[in-house]
Amino acid sequence: MLSRTLGLIFWMAVAGVAGYWLSPTSGPLPGAFAVCLFTVLKDLWKGQKIAKWLRHSNAQDPPNLDGIWGDLIDRMRRILNEQGRQTKNEQQRLQDFLMAIQASPNGVVLLDPEGRIEWCNQTAAQHLGMDAKRDLMQHVVHLVRDPVFKKYFSSDDHEAEVVIDGRSSSLQKTFKLSVQLHSYGESRQLLLTRDITAIAHADAMRRDFVANVSHEIRTPLTVLSGFIETLQSLKLDAEEQKRYLELMSVQADRMQDLVNDLLILSQLEGSALPSNNEPVTLESLMVGIESEARGLSAAQLNLGEESQVLNFEVSQGIQLLGASKELYSAISNLVNNAIRYTPSGGLISAIWTTLADQRIQFSVIDTGPGIAPEHLPRLTERFYRVDRSRSRESGGTGLGLAIVKHVMQRHGGELKIESELGKGSRFTLIFPASRVVIKACRAEP
Ligand code: ADP
């Protein structure tokens, strides 16, 4: 700055002396003034160039000026570069932040003080059936029309969340959403949405389950307490007493069966998956099941009725890797069902077969009443029965097929049900090859 001022004074002096020398009558002032004017105009021109450069703010392409203006441009360029870097960093951070919110399994909607949507992630758009771009700056209550939400939005109390019906943008799938408003910044609001369909479903199932269990236990309990009252209040002869006690024993057995099945189910749900190194030989497994089945079939035979024909076929030398208790439970449930639902004289076959791909299957085929197709998908639900009284009469708990399905899932297998009304049913268990060990049979001498 000093050198520039000295330079200006020098050139003014030179111009003044030159002017005086050329025209002594005018003196040195016009020459000095001309230098001043030239300098000011030159600076104005340079300033103009810098202003134009700043207007377009292209820090990479500054005007090529020397001296003090060159220094100034250099400093400005460095400041602009630094600012550019900072802005880029901040934009990147904002982008990362938005991407993190986009990845959230919960919906996030940012609302301005008037309740208009400033931004929302795809999950929120999907939950609330809106378009994340098209619906920006729309009022949220114009888009979320659920009356529960409208009331919640207009009230001042947003302490708790509310549950509304969600709406996918396809309008086909409805689900349960939990939504909550949170205040932030200057009168802004954050709307969070969470898909709670699975939780609501599990809750409903738990409630149904408790109601079903209570109902199942209450029925035999009511009968039992009725009999107890009768025994206490009436004088019965020995024969009548025996009959009453037998009826009471049936109800007590029913409750016991139910509790046993409930325990099996809760153990299946709470225990580790069956190991892959406990071999269970099919022949020995089937010995117990066959004798239990024959006993059950004989026990339900009324006087004068033709007995059922039971046919058991087991492949030799095959082992299943799994939990023997669970396998026993699944197989005996299917065999016992076939016996319980097939009328006297009917045929029941329980057959093991090895499939070409090394899987093995167990089928129970009966000539019983069969099951109408509309019931088939629901048979493995807990307490689902096609005919309630028929199931209870024959000592069913309504949990048998639920247990079978669970056991098969735990062993990586599947349960297939085929049935035709009036013709009979076929229940098939298919075990994966990874759980099958085929032992080479010793050749007969
Ligand atoms: P339950 O204890 O009532 O037998 P399950 O879960 O074992 O309960 O079976 C569910 C329902 O499926 C039964 O109530 C019955 O209506 C039907 N079912 C099961 N097995 C047979 C079968 N072999 N033949 C006809 N219906 C069957």
Side-chain angles (χ1 to χ4, degrees):
M1 191 69 186
L2 181 69
S3 64
R4 189 176 154 78
T5 314
L6 290 175
L8 179 63
I9 293 170
F10 171 75
W11 285 112
M12 281 170 71
V14 169
V17 170
Y20 184 73
W21 182 67
L22 286 173
S23 167
T25 48
S26 343
L29 278 181
F33 179 73
V35 167
C36 248
L37 188 66
F38 174 73
T39 308
V40 168
L41 285 177
K42 204 171 136 201
D43 281 351
L44 267 177
W45 173 72
K46 288 181 178 176
Q48 191 64 30
K49 263 189 131 178
I50 292 172
K52 194 174 160 197
W53 170 60
L54 286 178
R55 249 196 317 276
H56 297 297
S57 75
N58 185 359
Q60 300 313 323
D61 195 15
N64 193 8
L65 298 176
D66 51 7
I68 188 170
W69 295 103
D71 283 354
L72 203 64
I73 285 174
D74 212 35
R75 275 182 210 177
M76 279 182 188
R77 199 163 52 87
R78 260 182 274 150
I79 292 171
L80 282 175
N81 276 341
E82 184 54 29
Q83 271 182 353
R85 241 193 320 274
Q86 274 180 13
T87 314
K88 222 169 161 185
N89 277 349
E90 268 157 29
Q91 271 174 350
Q92 187 57 46
R93 281 181 58 193
L94 180 68
Q95 214 52 36
D96 288 349
F97 184 67
L98 290 180
M99 266 159 64
I101 304 181
Q102 278 293 11
S104 158
N106 295 336
V108 180
V109 186
L110 305 184
L111 300 174
D112 73 2
E114 271 73 50
R116 288 175 305 209
I117 299 166
E118 284 188 317
W119 185 87
C120 75
N121 67 358
Q122 278 301 336
T123 314
Q126 212 182 345
H127 283 171
L128 302 169
M130 33 189 224
D131 188 310
K133 285 197 180 122
R134 191 196 58 214
D135 292 331
L136 288 187
M137 297 322 286
Q138 294 283 333
H139 204 289
V140 69
V141 285
H142 293 161
L143 296 169
V144 186
R145 293 176 170 274
D146 192 302
V148 176
F149 178 75
K150 282 191 171 181
K151 197 167 161 215
Y152 174 69
F153 187 81
S154 54
S155 84
D156 294 330
D157 181 12
H158 300 145
E159 275 289 295
E161 52 191 23
V162 284
V163 176
I164 62 169
D165 285 329
R167 197 155 54 95
S168 73
S169 36
S170 66
L171 294 179
Q172 277 159 1
K173 195 178 133 210
T174 61
F175 40 87
K176 289 279 168 217
L177 273 187
S178 149
V179 296
Q180 188 166 17
L181 282 163
H182 300 269
S183 300
Y184 78 100
E186 284 175 19
S187 318
R188 287 171 190 279
Q189 283 179 307
L190 180 73
L191 175 66
L192 295 183
T193 66
R194 196 160 51 94
D195 184 351
I196 55 160
T197 317
I199 301 171
H201 183 64
D203 244 28
M205 271 179 56
R206 188 184 46 77
R207 274 197 305 274
D208 281 359
F209 183 67
V210 171
N212 275 325
V213 171
S214 317
H215 177 75
E216 294 290 331
I217 287 182
R218 200 182 50 197
T219 317
L221 259 184
T222 315
V223 180
L224 265 180
S225 54
F227 284 145
I228 291 171
E229 225 170 85
T230 312
L231 285 172
Q232 283 170 335
S233 55
L234 295 180
K235 272 210 168 305
L236 302 170
D237 60 33
E239 191 57 33
E240 279 173 326
Q241 264 191 22
K242 186 169 167 257
R243 201 169 59 82
Y244 271 85
L245 287 171
E246 271 168 12
L247 290 170
M248 287 168 76
S249 159
V250 170
Q251 298 304 325
D253 286 349
R254 212 176 119 186
M255 283 202 292
Q256 195 157 18
D257 287 346
L258 180 67
V259 172
N260 283 344
D261 276 359
L262 286 171
L263 278 176
I264 292 176
L265 264 181
S266 87
Q267 272 162 11
L268 288 176
E269 277 172 354
S271 58
L273 286 182
S275 84
N276 236 348
N277 48 21
E278 192 194 325
V280 184
T281 309
L282 292 191
E283 289 111 295
S284 56
L285 186 71
M286 292 309 289
V287 170
I289 288 172
E290 183 171 347
S291 83
E292 190 189 320
R294 292 197 185 279
L296 179 68
S297 176
Q300 66 177 21
L301 195 67
N302 292 319
L303 210 66
E305 274 181 354
E306 194 187 341
S307 58
Q308 292 169 330
V309 180
L310 306 187
N311 169 34
F312 283 81
E313 284 176 30
V314 193
S315 316
Q316 304 288 306
I318 295 182
Q319 292 182 322
L320 258 180
L321 300 173
S324 62
K325 261 187 169 176
E326 294 183 22
L327 295 171
Y328 188 100
S329 176
I331 295 166
S332 69
N333 260 308
L334 293 189
V335 175
N336 293 354
N337 273 357
I339 291 169
R340 283 170 40 229
Y341 292 107
T342 305
S344 62
L347 172 66
I348 294 142
S349 301
I351 302 169
W352 283 96
T353 6
T354 312
L355 303 177
D357 56 3
Q358 298 278 299
R359 290 183 302 162
I360 55 170
Q361 75 172 34
F362 172 71
S363 299
V364 183
I365 307 144
D366 66 50
T367 54
I371 305 159
E374 66 269 23
H375 296 293
L376 294 181
R378 299 197 59 191
L379 286 186
T380 54
E381 285 175 23
R382 290 162 190 204
F383 298 112
Y384 188 84
R385 286 137 160 158
V386 177
D387 179 346
R388 274 185 181 273
S389 54
R390 174 87 187 79
S391 158
R392 289 216 182 94
E393 246 170 55
S394 62
T397 59
L399 295 173
L401 292 180
I403 292 175
V404 177
K405 186 181 165 193
H406 230 95
V407 170
M408 291 314 286
Q409 276 173 350
R410 284 165 58 79
H411 283 79
E414 56 173 309
L415 162 68
K416 254 172 52 184
I417 308 174
E418 297 150 282
S419 191
E420 207 177 320
L421 212 51
K423 292 211 168 143
S425 315
R426 173 195 278 260
F427 289 77
T428 306
L429 306 180
I430 303 172
F431 293 91
S434 58
R435 288 205 175 260
V436 180
V437 179
I438 301 177
K439 296 216 150 187
C441 285
R442 241 185 310 131
E444 292 290 322

Coordinates of all heavy atoms in Angstrom, one line a residue, residues 3 25 53 71 87 137 149 175 191 193-194 240 314-315 324 332 364 367 384 394 409:
S3 N 4.0 1.4 -1.0 CA 4.8 1.6 -2.3 C 3.8 2.1 -3.4 O 4.2 2.9 -4.2 CB 5.3 0.2 -2.7 OG 4.3 -0.7 -2.9
T25 N 2.9 28.2 -18.1 CA 1.8 29.1 -17.6 C 0.7 28.3 -16.9 O 0.1 28.8 -16.0 CB 1.1 29.8 -18.8 OG1 0.8 28.8 -19.8 CG2 1.9 30.9 -19.4
W53 N -16.5 -10.6 -11.6 CA -16.0 -12.0 -11.2 C -16.7 -12.5 -10.0 O -17.1 -13.7 -9.9 CB -14.5 -11.9 -10.9 CG -13.9 -13.1 -10.3 CD1 -13.9 -14.4 -10.9 CD2 -13.2 -13.2 -9.1 NE1 -13.2 -15.3 -10.0 CE2 -12.8 -14.6 -8.9 CE3 -12.9 -12.3 -8.1 CZ2 -12.1 -15.0 -7.8 CZ3 -12.2 -12.8 -7.0 CH2 -11.8 -14.1 -6.8
D71 N -3.3 -9.2 -5.3 CA -3.3 -9.7 -3.9 C -4.7 -9.9 -3.4 O -5.0 -11.0 -2.8 CB -2.6 -8.7 -3.0 CG -1.1 -8.8 -3.1 OD1 -0.6 -9.7 -3.9 OD2 -0.4 -8.0 -2.5
T87 N -19.0 -25.6 2.3 CA -20.4 -25.9 1.8 C -20.5 -27.3 1.3 O -21.5 -28.0 1.5 CB -20.7 -24.9 0.6 OG1 -20.3 -23.6 1.0 CG2 -22.2 -24.9 0.3
M137 N -45.0 -29.6 0.8 CA -45.7 -28.4 1.1 C -47.2 -28.5 1.1 O -48.0 -27.5 1.2 CB -45.3 -27.2 0.1 CG -43.8 -26.8 0.2 SD -43.1 -26.9 1.9 CE -43.9 -25.4 2.6
F149 N -56.2 -39.3 13.5 CA -55.0 -38.5 13.4 C -55.4 -37.0 13.4 O -54.7 -36.2 14.0 CB -54.3 -38.9 12.1 CG -53.1 -38.0 11.8 CD1 -51.9 -38.2 12.5 CD2 -53.1 -36.9 10.9 CE1 -50.8 -37.4 12.3 CE2 -52.0 -36.1 10.7 CZ -50.9 -36.3 11.4
F175 N -52.6 -51.4 6.9 CA -51.9 -51.9 8.0 C -52.0 -51.0 9.2 O -52.5 -49.9 9.0 CB -50.4 -52.2 7.7 CG -49.8 -51.2 6.8 CD1 -49.2 -50.1 7.4 CD2 -49.8 -51.4 5.4 CE1 -48.6 -49.1 6.6 CE2 -49.2 -50.4 4.6 CZ -48.6 -49.3 5.2
L191 N -43.0 -35.7 12.6 CA -44.0 -36.8 12.7 C -43.4 -38.1 12.4 O -42.7 -38.3 11.4 CB -45.1 -36.5 11.6 CG -46.2 -37.6 11.5 CD1 -47.1 -37.7 12.7 CD2 -47.1 -37.4 10.3
T193 N -43.6 -42.3 12.1 CA -44.6 -43.3 11.9 C -43.9 -44.7 12.0 O -42.8 -44.8 11.6 CB -45.3 -43.2 10.5 OG1 -44.2 -43.5 9.5 CG2 -45.9 -41.9 10.3
R194 N -44.6 -45.7 12.6 CA -44.0 -47.0 12.8 C -45.1 -48.1 12.4 O -46.2 -48.0 12.9 CB -43.7 -47.1 14.3 CG -42.7 -48.2 14.7 CD -42.1 -47.9 16.0 NE -43.1 -47.5 17.0 CZ -43.6 -48.4 17.9 NH1 -43.2 -49.7 17.9 NH2 -44.5 -48.0 18.8
E240 N -74.4 -95.5 40.6 CA -74.4 -94.1 40.1 C -73.2 -93.4 40.4 O -72.6 -92.6 39.5 CB -75.6 -93.4 40.7 CG -77.0 -93.7 40.0 CD -78.1 -93.2 40.7 OE1 -78.1 -93.1 42.0 OE2 -79.1 -92.8 40.1
V314 N -42.6 -99.5 7.6 CA -41.4 -98.7 7.9 C -40.2 -99.2 7.1 O -40.0 -100.4 6.9 CB -41.0 -98.9 9.4 CG1 -40.0 -97.9 9.8 CG2 -42.2 -98.9 10.3
S315 N -39.5 -98.2 6.5 CA -38.3 -98.6 5.7 C -37.2 -99.0 6.7 O -37.1 -98.4 7.8 CB -37.8 -97.4 4.9 OG -38.9 -96.8 4.3
S324 N -36.0 -86.9 19.3 CA -36.9 -88.1 19.2 C -38.3 -87.8 19.9 O -39.3 -88.2 19.3 CB -36.3 -89.3 19.9 OG -36.0 -89.1 21.2
S332 N -47.2 -89.3 16.2 CA -48.3 -89.9 16.9 C -49.6 -89.0 16.8 O -50.7 -89.5 16.7 CB -48.0 -90.2 18.3 OG -47.9 -89.0 19.0
V364 N -49.7 -90.4 6.5 CA -50.8 -91.1 7.1 C -52.1 -90.9 6.2 O -52.5 -89.8 6.0 CB -51.1 -90.5 8.5 CG1 -52.2 -91.3 9.2 CG2 -49.9 -90.5 9.4
T367 N -59.4 -93.3 5.5 CA -60.6 -93.3 4.7 C -61.7 -92.7 5.5 O -62.9 -93.0 5.4 CB -61.0 -94.8 4.3 OG1 -61.1 -95.5 5.5 CG2 -60.0 -95.5 3.4
Y384 N -58.0 -74.5 16.1 CA -58.9 -74.5 14.9 C -59.4 -76.0 14.7 O -58.6 -76.9 14.6 CB -58.2 -74.1 13.6 CG -59.2 -73.9 12.5 CD1 -59.9 -72.7 12.4 CD2 -59.4 -75.0 11.6 CE1 -60.8 -72.6 11.3 CE2 -60.3 -74.8 10.6 CZ -61.0 -73.6 10.4 OH -61.9 -73.5 9.4
S394 N -63.9 -87.0 20.7 CA -62.8 -88.0 20.5 C -61.6 -87.6 21.3 O -60.5 -88.2 21.1 CB -62.5 -88.1 19.0 OG -62.1 -86.9 18.6
Q409 N -41.2 -77.5 11.3 CA -40.4 -76.2 11.1 C -39.1 -76.3 11.8 O -38.1 -76.0 11.2 CB -41.2 -75.0 11.6 CG -42.2 -74.5 10.6 CD -43.1 -73.4 11.2 OE1 -43.0 -73.1 12.4 NE2 -43.9 -72.8 10.4

